[in-house]
Amino acid sequence: MKALDSAVVVADFLPAPSELVKKSIKEKITISIDSDCINFFRTEAKKESYKISDYDE
């Protein structure tokens, strides 16, 4: 193709994708919440079809 014959190759000046995404640090926490609050969130989650896992130690 004639158009590609006259094309000029330029250096890649864009950063790598890994350099564009900020890495967030995640930390696990433990909180105590009244059972009526938990029941409220479970009820709301059911209305919106969200799943809340039961995790008891």
Side-chain angles (χ1 to χ4, degrees), residues 10-54:
V10 295
D12 186 6
F13 58 90
L14 296 174
S18 60
E19 295 174 3
L20 294 174
V21 177
K22 287 186 175 183
K23 294 182 180 178
S24 61
I25 298 171
K26 296 180 177 140
E27 295 186 33
K28 291 187 177 189
I29 62 168
T30 302
I31 59 172
S32 296
I33 301 176
D34 291 338
S35 61
D36 58 338
C37 289
I38 297 295
N39 292 332
F40 167 79
F41 285 111
R42 284 193 175 124
T43 302
E44 293 302 308
K46 285 179 185 174
K47 289 179 188 177
E48 300 295 328
S49 299
Y50 294 124
K51 293 183 179 179
I52 296 180
S53 61
D54 289 335

